[in-house]
Amino acid sequence: MEHSDEVLTCEVAVNVGMEILADDQQVINLKDFVIPEFTCVICDDDCVGFGNNPEPIKPIKDGMCCDKCNYRVICPARWAERSIRK
Ligand SMILES: [Zn+2]
């Protein structure tokens, strides 16, 4: 996964409409942030969110892939690649 823990925490917080405290104790309303949108490089669907690293099926510079493709295509490909390398 390319997400840092911080990004994942923010993503979860946005989903539940939470407010988080920044380091300077200032309250940030996450509803004010724009959730990124992207087009999946594998199925071409318009998606909302941070996306997933599409490697090794596609280079990450081509864009991100959706959760569905991540589980259906990317994960099996990574497992296959790993087993070939052993
Ligand atoms: Zn997709």
Side-chain angles (χ1 to χ4, degrees):
M1 291 287 284
E2 291 298 302
H3 295 314
S4 69
D5 289 344
E6 191 177 50
V7 171
L8 277 181
T9 306
C10 287
E11 192 172 9
V12 169
V14 168
N15 286 340
V16 296
M18 277 172 55
E19 290 182 343
I20 58 166
L21 281 172
D23 288 342
D24 59 0
Q25 300 295 305
Q26 191 183 8
V27 174
I28 298 173
N29 188 344
L30 287 169
K31 287 170 187 164
D32 294 338
F33 284 83
V34 178
I35 300 172
E37 294 180 16
F38 65 98
T39 302
C40 174
V41 293
I42 292 168
C43 69
D44 251 4
D45 264 3
D46 291 328
C47 305
V48 176
F50 297 96
N52 302 281
N53 183 346
E55 291 177 351
I57 302 296
K58 298 258 189 183
I60 194 166
K61 66 178 170 57
D62 283 4
M64 306 299 271
C65 77
C66 67
D67 288 343
K68 203 168 58 184
C69 292
N70 188 45
Y71 292 122
R72 285 185 182 170
V73 182
I74 306 300
C75 287
R78 282 191 189 146
W79 280 108
E81 196 181 52
R82 197 175 296 183
S83 59
I84 288 166
R85 280 178 185 168
K86 271 180 186 167

